[in-house]
Amino acid sequence: MSRVAEGVSPLELADYQKAVRLVLRHPLVTPGYPDRAALATVRRWADHLRTDLMEVLGYRLVTTADTARLQRAQDGLDATRPALTRAGRPFDRRRYAYLVLTLAALGRHGAQVALGELADAVAADAVRIDGLGLDTARKPDRDAFVDAVTWLTERGALTLADGSATAWAGDPERAEALYDIDREILLAVHHPTRVLQHLTSVTALLDSSGAMGLSAGRAAQRRDQARRARRLVLENPVAYYADADTELLGQLRAPAVAEDLERLTGLTVERRAEGVALIDTSGRLSDLRFPGGGTVAQAALLLAARISAAVQRSGRHALELLPAPTAAERLAARARRIDAALPSRGLITELAEPDEGSAYEAPGGEGHAPTEARYPFVTDSWLRGRLREITAEYGAGFAADLRGDPDRLLGQALDLLAAMSLVVRVDGGALALPLLARYRGVTARVRTRTAAGPPSQTAPSVDDTTKDPTP
């Protein structure tokens, strides 16, 4: 029997699970973020949360008077949780750089700082980074900088005392903004488990059991494998058996994984022949919902239906089956791309940890399942053809800029399907993964324009038996 939520009464279990989902969805909770009631909810259950999150997932919850910070154990590089701009768009590299430099500059200021003064401090650091810079005379640079400042303001690290950041971004000669600095929240925002300047590879951030200070030994290794299996199910749309090494595969198949996660989160674990998924039909835990609204999500859903239909073909029309890169191979490829951009100047080599990239190289050695899974392959030209069909039939409801740029729309739709573990992008096309079959019954229609109503809009829908697989 699961010991998760031990000491929580049956009558309060739903409230406790709500607190779990809250802190998993928002790893930083402050008096005003994500809302004014969140911190009180987490603090009420802090002792139980601290115990269960460590025992079940290997996550450490650190609470102070004004913050609750969940330190996650990272097993992979995840691009599905970007910081978002004021307009809801993912941060680009420039905005991430400004955010980090702003955190550094705030550490050198007192209780308050003017936005223009903060911009000058960030600009002085940014000019020393090749290809970055921050020119406050350029509107795009000011907008990117204000997006970074706003991200901190939303979380309470900065509080606007006077003026307007939007007005400053419009005309810094005529407008200004003054901010109060909350150092406790600033510390919680940036609380790395490693000394970043001592790392030689991005994969050094991932050895989470070492980073979190967990014990070694055979019993501890088994416990950490169980935690890793639960994290895999929790943090991904689906945990495919084909991606798991033999030790992790045993943990994924164990009933305890489902029991612990269901009792901890209040969600349902679904098992299929190909893997395990945690089903969140409410969307309150998911950081990325699918199906969803917007042109990209609608186009991705319709494209998923066409790929799924093609997978069903047999005989001479059947799709070619190819092996997919494993999770370890995909991680190694991402790590190589990131590591290629890491600066080498200023690295304290005698203190640096050894490159851990080899731990994530292509599998095939000890610990990996010997069988090779093969998946249906669709070519880039086939995908472009299907997207042209979708745009011709349903494009009246698509955003004009994406409708006029089909290559960009296709790329973003495939990125979304890949983020949902529905496809794997490979050279020349994509491989259809088993979860894609869930969407073979998708239907769509174009809503008609009413006399006083909004413009037409594509409205794909899923059969009632289909569940949302997002974690």
Side-chain angles (χ1 to χ4, degrees), residues 185-196:
I185 296 178
L186 274 180
L187 180 63
V189 168
H190 183 63
H191 198 170
T193 56
R194 303 289 182 92
V195 181
L196 300 184

Side-chain angles (χ1 to χ4, degrees), residues 5 11 28 39 47 56 75 103-104 107 141 147 152 194 285 291 304 325 390 408 414 419 438 448:
L11 293 177
L28 174 65
L39 186 60
D47 290 341
V56 176
D75 301 304
L103 284 168
D141 283 12
D147 279 335
L152 292 170
R194 303 289 182 92
L285 179 58
I390 291 168
R408 182 160 69 100
L414 288 174
R438 189 180 289 266
T448 57

Side-chain angles (χ1 to χ4, degrees), residues 6 10 33 52 67 70 82 92 100 119 129 139 167 172 193 278 287 308 350-351 358 376 384 399 405 444 464:
E6 193 171 33
Y33 183 83
D52 284 345
T67 66
L70 185 66
D92 54 18
V100 173
I129 301 174
K139 181 67 159 57
T193 56
L278 187 64
D287 57 316
S308 184
E350 62 270 21
L351 296 179
S358 59
R384 283 193 291 269
D405 191 350
D464 290 341

Side-chain angles (χ1 to χ4, degrees), residues 92-436:
D92 54 18
R93 295 174 68 184
R94 179 174 297 276
R95 284 168 171 79
Y96 278 120
Y98 288 166
L99 176 59
V100 173
L101 293 177
T102 299
L103 284 168
L106 288 170
R108 302 191 293 267
H109 284 80
Q112 286 188 322
V113 64
L115 188 59
E117 180 186 0
L118 183 60
D120 290 340
V122 172
D125 291 332
V127 75
R128 299 200 295 267
I129 301 174
D130 294 341
L132 183 60
L134 194 166
D135 185 353
T136 55
R138 296 184 68 251
K139 181 67 159 57
D141 283 12
R142 296 198 303 271
D143 286 340
F145 172 67
V146 169
D147 279 335
V149 170
T150 301
W151 189 92
L152 292 170
T153 304
E154 289 172 348
R155 285 151 182 82
L158 294 172
T159 301
L160 184 65
D162 192 19
S164 167
T166 302
W168 180 88
D171 187 353
E173 297 297 327
R174 303 182 62 180
E176 184 57 278
L178 181 67
Y179 287 91
D180 295 327
I181 301 173
D182 190 314
R183 302 217 165 273
E184 185 173 306
I185 296 178
L186 274 180
L187 180 63
V189 168
H190 183 63
H191 198 170
T193 56
R194 303 289 182 92
V195 181
L196 300 184
Q197 61 265 39
H198 295 170
L199 306 184
T200 60
S201 170
V202 68
T203 55
L205 292 169
L206 302 180
D207 185 14
S208 49
S209 60
M212 302 294 285
L214 303 179
S215 58
R218 182 168 298 181
Q221 289 174 355
R222 286 196 299 269
R223 185 170 62 249
D224 290 343
Q225 282 286 350
R227 287 168 173 157
R228 184 181 164 208
R230 297 185 197 103
R231 292 195 298 264
L232 191 64
V233 177
L234 175 74
E235 300 283 4
N236 295 278
V238 60
Y240 286 117
Y241 295 141
D243 278 337
D245 58 44
T246 52
E247 290 185 0
L248 192 59
L249 183 60
Q251 293 287 351
L252 286 174
R253 293 188 184 277
V257 168
E259 293 172 5
D260 290 344
L261 285 176
E262 287 179 345
R263 184 162 175 82
L264 181 68
T265 65
L267 305 181
T268 301
V269 173
E270 182 177 296
R271 292 183 180 276
R272 295 294 178 93
E274 300 86 1
V276 188
L278 187 64
I279 307 300
D280 178 19
T281 55
S282 70
R284 293 172 183 171
L285 179 58
S286 306
D287 57 316
L288 182 63
R289 277 191 64 80
F290 186 81
T295 295
V296 173
Q298 292 171 350
L301 179 60
L302 294 166
L303 187 61
R306 281 162 169 73
I307 299 173
S308 184
V311 169
Q312 305 303 309
R313 296 200 299 256
S314 59
R316 65 187 184 90
H317 297 293
L319 297 177
E320 181 182 7
L321 299 180
L322 297 177
T326 66
E329 289 173 318
R330 296 195 295 272
L331 174 56
R334 294 189 196 106
R336 284 192 293 270
R337 289 196 298 271
I338 296 172
D339 289 349
L342 291 178
S344 56
R345 296 193 302 271
L347 179 68
I348 308 175
T349 53
E350 62 270 21
L351 296 179
E353 298 184 14
D355 187 352
E356 299 181 19
S358 59
Y360 296 92
E361 292 299 329
E366 183 179 357
H368 285 279
T371 56
E372 179 184 61
R374 303 176 75 85
Y375 304 100
F377 172 68
V378 289
T379 65
D380 285 332
S381 60
W382 185 93
L383 291 166
R384 283 193 291 269
R386 301 297 78 72
L387 186 67
R388 283 196 298 269
E389 296 172 358
I390 291 168
T391 303
E393 189 171 358
Y394 305 106
F398 287 177
D401 60 330
L402 289 170
R403 186 173 63 243
D405 191 350
D407 287 341
R408 182 160 69 100
L409 177 56
L410 178 60
Q412 292 184 12
L414 288 174
D415 285 344
L416 177 56
L417 294 178
M420 295 306 305
S421 299
L422 299 171
V423 304
V424 173
R425 301 191 69 176
V426 294
D427 291 341
L431 299 175
L433 298 180
L435 188 60
L436 192 73

